Amino acid sequence: MCPMETERQSPRYAKIDLWEPGEILESIIEGQFSAVAAVRAARPAIERAGLAIERRLRGSGRLVYVGAGTSGRLAAQDGAELMPTFGWPSDRLLLLIAGGHKALLHAVEGAEDEDQQAIELVARHEIGQADVVIALAASGTTPFTLACLREAKRRGALTIGVANNRGTPLLHEADHPIFLETGPEPIAGSTRMKAGAAQRITLILLSSLVMILLGRVYDGLMVDVQASNKKLVRRSEKFCPD
């Protein structure tokens, strides 16, 4: 069986451990540019997903992020930033990460394979028709992530699937698939690199678009930002009209 593109060793990087430091850095920078290019190619899919999310979240539904490993940590970061940046209500945000909060800092053995736990989490949080689920997996096959998406879709939630391998179950089964063609990594299988960068940019685009469409930005300003420190208080005072 041929390995997935994100797992395949590329001849381009086969001797990276023998290169000069500057050459190593240049190849990684090159990879970041290819991640941006992959996101740009997916822009129509990102736009369609953003419009669908905005329509669903006009009600009282929640935004649910799902992932495992690197994808889970990227998902959690994007979700967590919606509250201070856009004033998104905490009761309308749900982060389902394989292995729970511990997995944000440490690898949790076997967590990504817990498909039954994923189904139970979706049921426990009563994810349904009002909600939106954004599920990320570089492979497009991660059992935990796929099970969350399938169960949420079965219960009527709008599902967005983000993956870096073409034709994988996560993309096939999502209401709105977003394929990011980043190819093999400079360090084979290390999807925190190109695949992770492309996922991170996609999440920034998607969540920012949705928040703007929902009226949480006005005149280019974060009008619902939470002034939780002195810097943000000064910023809010600076931009407030007299």
Side-chain angles (χ1 to χ4, degrees), residues 216-236:
R216 292 178 177 268
V217 173
Y218 177 75
D219 203 21
L221 300 176
M222 302 179 291
V223 291
D224 286 322
V225 67
Q226 295 178 9
S228 56
N229 57 49
K230 291 180 180 179
K231 177 190 73 175
L232 293 177
V233 169
R234 287 195 301 271
R235 184 181 298 169
S236 63

Side-chain angles (χ1 to χ4, degrees), residues 4 138-141 163-173 177-181:
M4 294 184 177
S139 68
T141 62
N164 301 74
N165 286 287
R166 188 185 301 276
T168 46
L170 193 70
L171 296 175
H172 179 70
E173 299 189 34
I178 299 173
F179 169 50
L180 303 172
E181 191 170 13

Side-chain angles (χ1 to χ4, degrees), residues 49 52-53 132-136 149 158-162 174-178 206:
I53 293 171
V132 175
V133 170
I134 302 175
L136 297 94
L149 181 134
L158 177 72
T159 56
I160 316 297
V162 182
D175 294 316
H176 288 274
I178 299 173
L206 194 57

Side-chain angles (χ1 to χ4, degrees), residues 68-69 73 97-100 102-115 117 142 144:
R73 287 184 280 275
I97 310 302
K102 181 182 178 182
L104 294 176
L105 294 177
H106 305 282
V108 178
E109 192 73 27
E112 70 173 42
D113 298 321
E114 294 289 342
D115 52 352
Q117 183 194 40
T142 305
F144 175 89

Side-chain angles (χ1 to χ4, degrees), residues 65 73-82 200 203-205 207:
Y65 287 81
R73 287 184 280 275
L74 290 170
Q77 181 184 10
D78 194 72
E81 289 176 353
L82 297 184
R200 173 65 174 142
L203 289 174
I204 291 171
L205 293 178
S207 59

Side-chain angles (χ1 to χ4, degrees), residues 54-96:
E54 182 263 338
R55 287 192 295 270
R56 187 66 62 100
L57 292 182
R58 283 288 177 187
S60 58
R62 294 166 294 177
L63 190 54
V64 184
Y65 287 81
V66 175
T70 296
S71 295
R73 287 184 280 275
L74 290 170
Q77 181 184 10
D78 194 72
E81 289 176 353
L82 297 184
M83 292 181 288
T85 305
F86 299 107
W88 188 250
S90 60
D91 62 351
R92 296 188 64 189
L93 177 68
L94 186 58
L95 308 176
L96 300 185

